[in-house]
Amino acid sequence: MPEADPAAGRDVVQRVGCASCHVFPDISWPRGALGPNLGDFADQGLIGGRVPNRPDLLAAFVRDAPALIPGTTMPAMPISERESRDVAAYLYTLRDR
Amino acid sequence: MWPRISTPSGIVEGLAGWPPPVLDPAGPYAGSVAALSWALIALAAGIFLIVLAALWIALRGRERLRARLGGERAIWIGGVVFPVVVLTALLIWGLTLTRNLSEPAGGPELRMRVSGEMWWWRVSYLDGNGRAFMQDANELHIPVGRTIAIELVSPDVIHSFWVPQLSGKLDMVPGRRNLIRIQADRPGTYAGICAEYCGGPHALMGFLVVAHAPDDYARWLAARRAPRAAPPDRQSARGAALFVSAGCAACHRIAGTPANGQAGPDLTHVGSRRTLGAGILPNNRGTMIGWIGNSQAIKPGNRMPPYTVLPGEDLQALAAYLEAQR
């Protein structure tokens, strides 16, 4: 993602507590179990099993998931548009090595 | 003054005042504890230097100095008189300080009761007669410059109430009522933790003290006592119904509604809390859903069961409803 900062994205993920529902490989606690493990998110074809895994859609999804997938458990999160791009950039660093 | 050591757990960095700095007092009670701590550190450093000097003399010193160091006089002074004087002085200082931590500082006090329960804090605001007029959990709101006398109790095991920036630490012992006084001299958010191992997720049993300027405190109290609004939209109205039908109300109370459970934290003001799960998560729609849906993954062993059976829309509705409880 151009002009997006994965490290800043990780800080946002920490601050708002995404790990309450998701497992991130580089966050030791919490390791939430309600949502999917995001350990290999960069290699996933779909976001939430429904939407193509594209940077623009991912940034929109992490900010307001119900707008893209009505009925999803994931809520809109209190982050800015810029922060949502950083979060998406961070998520694209997560792949199985 | 000192570099802050960051914790590896990360998420707690999002919570103001966490982890609680231990030697950064924000009020008179914590100030006296910090003064003793610094005196002990300085004294220990001085004694360490004396021991090093004695060691150097013993190994490399002149014959005459070594003889004096090994003499009976040195043993009496360094081994008996010095420890007796220093330790007695410290004992008197420590005991006086401990007594003062539960002594009134003068001026009108506010009263609260905090009950340590596995693994959260039940908070009651008391009137002049010691009767509770408001219930809350995991967060204490106080005005700056006023002394708060807090009764510490526990219904299960021993916990310990510790807000390092505002006072010393004091155990909460089942069957006893201990008294601690805290005071903050500047507005801010001060973290507290359970300082006595109490089983399972003891390490995840935190809380916050929010100190307001006097005017802000009065406004906060008035807002708390204002009549409660109906659920603001359809989603949270559905959440209100679910709160009763899904069983939440069996353990949680929301004042002014049929929900009157007493086993878990009072949720009347949960939407305005800064944290969830007893001082461990930031409070937003996402962490609320994560906590309700599967708090066992976040805080293993806590007494709230996972509600993975609830569909996403129900979790969203419950979170919307709880978010509106301010």
Side-chain angles (χ1 to χ4, degrees):
Chain A
M1 294 204 72
E3 289 168 39
D5 178 0
R10 186 175 180 277
D11 289 346
V12 173
V13 164
Q14 297 262 32
R15 195 190 73 228
V16 300
C18 304
S20 310
C21 293
H22 300 285
V23 171
F24 297 85
D26 53 354
I27 294 177
S28 56
W29 178 88
R31 295 170 70 80
L34 193 63
N37 184 321
L38 300 180
D40 60 350
F41 184 81
D43 300 326
Q44 295 292 320
L46 296 172
I47 303 167
R50 302 267 286 278
V51 180
N53 192 358
R54 269 177 16 211
D56 55 331
L57 291 175
L58 181 60
F61 183 80
V62 296
R63 188 148 181 248
D64 190 359
L68 268 82
I69 305 180
T72 177
T73 305
M74 175 149 157
M77 293 300 287
I79 57 177
S80 70
E81 222 173 293
R82 184 189 175 118
E83 287 171 333
S84 71
R85 285 197 298 273
D86 292 341
V87 169
Y90 163 64
L91 292 175
Y92 286 128
T93 67
L94 305 179
R95 54 178 74 245
D96 267 339
R97 267 170 283 231
Chain B
M1 182 163 59
W2 301 93
R4 291 282 292 276
I5 298 156
S6 70
T7 53
S9 52
I11 198 165
V12 292
E13 287 161 14
L15 306 174
W18 191 278
V22 172
L23 290 173
D24 182 18
Y29 293 102
S32 59
V33 176
L36 176 60
S37 306
W38 284 119
L40 281 175
I41 291 166
L43 200 63
I47 291 170
F48 179 63
L49 289 178
I50 292 171
V51 170
L52 279 186
L55 187 65
W56 190 85
I57 289 170
L59 294 174
R60 300 279 172 90
R62 289 206 196 108
E63 192 63 40
R64 202 166 59 87
L65 280 178
R66 284 164 60 186
R68 277 176 79 173
L69 186 65
E72 205 167 282
R73 203 175 133 92
I75 302 293
W76 274 105
I77 292 174
V80 179
V81 177
F82 183 77
V84 165
V85 169
V86 170
L87 293 179
T88 306
L90 284 176
L91 186 67
I92 292 169
W93 188 353
L95 290 177
T96 316
L97 189 154
T98 308
R99 194 196 60 202
N100 288 345
L101 288 181
S102 55
E103 289 290 304
E109 294 187 329
L110 292 176
R111 294 175 64 180
M112 297 177 77
R113 184 188 305 121
V114 177
S115 174
E117 312 197 358
M118 296 157 102
W119 290 269
W120 60 284
W121 313 82
R122 188 188 298 274
V123 177
S124 311
Y125 293 78
L126 308 182
D127 62 19
N129 299 317
R131 273 191 294 268
F133 66 87
M134 193 164 67
Q135 298 287 339
D136 206 351
N138 304 327
E139 201 166 285
L140 285 70
H141 290 257
I142 65 171
V144 296
R146 290 275 291 276
T147 304
I148 322 293
I150 304 179
E151 296 173 11
L152 300 178
V153 297
S154 165
D156 42 47
V157 301
I158 299 176
H159 303 276
S160 188
F161 179 93
W162 192 29
V163 193
Q165 288 184 279
L166 301 182
S167 196
K169 70 174 83 136
L170 192 63
D171 280 6
M172 318 168 101
V173 183
R176 286 185 62 95
R177 190 163 55 171
N178 287 339
L179 191 68
I180 196 170
R181 284 185 160 84
I182 67 170
Q183 182 174 323
D185 285 341
R186 51 175 196 261
T189 306
Y190 305 99
I193 52 175
C194 179
E196 182 69 47
Y197 179 69
C198 56
H202 153 74
L204 297 174
M205 181 172 166
F207 63 103
L208 290 179
V209 177
V210 184
H212 303 272
D215 292 352
D216 294 340
Y217 180 75
R219 270 195 291 278
W220 170 83
L221 197 59
R224 277 281 161 107
R225 287 170 151 165
R228 303 180 56 75
D233 52 39
R234 264 184 53 209
Q235 192 183 37
S236 47
R238 210 168 81 76
L242 270 169
F243 194 81
V244 176
S245 64
C248 314
C251 290
H252 296 287
R253 170 178 175 266
I254 294 181
T257 77
N260 200 28
Q262 300 293 323
D266 190 300
L267 300 181
T268 308
H269 305 290
V270 70
S272 64
R273 259 177 229 153
R274 283 147 178 80
T275 72
L276 291 181
I280 59 169
L281 296 176
N283 185 4
N284 58 47
R285 184 77 60 99
T287 53
M288 183 70 89
I289 287 173
W291 179 266
I292 301 170
N294 195 349
S295 67
Q296 292 300 327
I298 300 167
K299 186 167 172 171
N302 89 81
R303 298 216 159 134
M304 172 149 164
Y307 284 89
T308 41
V309 292
L310 291 178
E313 279 166 320
D314 287 2
L315 289 170
Q316 295 266 12
L318 278 170
Y321 171 60
L322 292 173
E323 209 172 82
Q325 306 307 308
R326 300 189 67 84

